Amino acid sequence: MQGSPDAPIDDIDRIMSVMERAFSPEFGEAWNRRQVTDALIVGSCRYGLIAPDGSQNLESAPDCAGFFMGRSILDEEELLLFAIAPEYRRRGLGHQLLDFFISQARANGMGRIFLEMRRDNPAGFLYAAHGFQEIGVRPAYYRTASGQRIDAISQELNLLD
Ligand SMILES: CC(C)(COP(=O)(O)OP(=O)(O)OC[C@H]1O[C@@H](n2cnc3c(N)ncnc32)[C@H](O)[C@@H]1OP(=O)(O)O)[C@@H](O)C(=O)NCCC(=O)NCCS
């Protein structure tokens, strides 16, 4: 696992490889390479990667299993993207990567983490397990490829408690 605001090309390849596998086209949540690259040029964005064995050693890993991207403003950080590739799910890597993201946010002096997800995304169980709480709903905010409208759920984790 590793986390850094500077993204070498190899790491952008790793992020995009997970992005293409992890997000269903139905929900249109995946970012393209340009969006990722542009976000990481901005100093307020950071990312982290996790290898299939849960380690930080991506250089010798056969694949990248997951990644996150976050953006901070003052003492608040938004979790922009969080994904584990389908073939590595349900073995605790999501928990590990989220722990890493949260502990880095704390170490960076953040007081609050914010995120937004579509209602009924199973990721909600993961976020709840780490203490995130619902703070708002935007009714019918997302529109899926098949035309369904889905609420956006805003969640926060207060790091000052
Ligand atoms: C959400 C996601 C990151 C979870 O990754 P993961 O490696 O499978 O997570 P873990 O194995 O650490 O499991 C974490 C917890 O999430 C919950 N969970 C994950 N997938 C679930 C599912 N399909 N159904 C129900 N609960 C689920 C469980 O509570 C699980 O904990 P438990 O196994 O101790 O009960 C992964 O499914 C993913 O990448 N999804 C697509 C991208 C996405 O939607 N990202 C979030 C955007 S807001």
Side-chain angles (χ1 to χ4, degrees), residues 62-121:
D63 194 8
C64 177
F67 75 95
F68 70 76
M69 279 181 55
R71 176 176 52 210
S72 53
I73 299 172
L74 300 173
D75 65 347
E76 293 190 350
E77 182 155 18
E78 181 175 8
L79 182 56
L80 298 170
L81 290 165
F82 188 89
I84 300 292
E87 59 270 45
Y88 301 116
R89 287 183 191 161
R90 301 315 296 266
R91 52 170 95 166
L93 292 177
H95 279 302
Q96 267 184 265
L97 188 60
L98 191 57
D99 266 339
F100 180 63
F101 170 75
I102 293 168
S103 63
Q104 275 198 329
R106 252 198 199 95
N108 292 340
M110 296 297 128
R112 175 180 183 253
I113 296 173
F114 172 83
L115 65 84
E116 204 162 68
M117 56 164 240
R118 77 185 126 79
R119 187 184 290 286
D120 296 334
N121 186 335

Side-chain angles (χ1 to χ4, degrees), residues 1-16:
M1 205 184 305
Q2 60 188 56
S4 160
D6 308 308
I9 298 289
D10 283 358
D11 283 352
I12 294 179
D13 289 343
R14 291 182 176 111
I15 289 171
M16 292 313 299

Side-chain angles (χ1 to χ4, degrees), residues 29 78-80 114-128 132 134 136-138 141-142 150-155:
E29 293 164 335
E78 181 175 8
L79 182 56
L80 298 170
F114 172 83
L115 65 84
E116 204 162 68
M117 56 164 240
R118 77 185 126 79
R119 187 184 290 286
D120 296 334
N121 186 335
F125 294 110
L126 173 62
Y127 297 140
F132 280 84
E134 185 175 319
V137 178
R138 296 188 213 226
Y141 182 72
Y142 301 114
I150 304 182
D151 297 346
I153 309 295
S154 303
Q155 299 195 13

Side-chain angles (χ1 to χ4, degrees), residues 25-56:
E26 172 67 7
F27 300 115
E29 293 164 335
W31 290 20
N32 63 34
R33 190 181 183 95
R34 177 73 189 265
Q35 289 171 302
V36 170
T37 308
D38 285 355
L40 290 172
I41 287 169
V42 181
S44 55
C45 281
R46 68 181 173 105
Y47 71 98
L49 306 173
I50 189 166
D53 64 358
S55 78
Q56 312 180 13

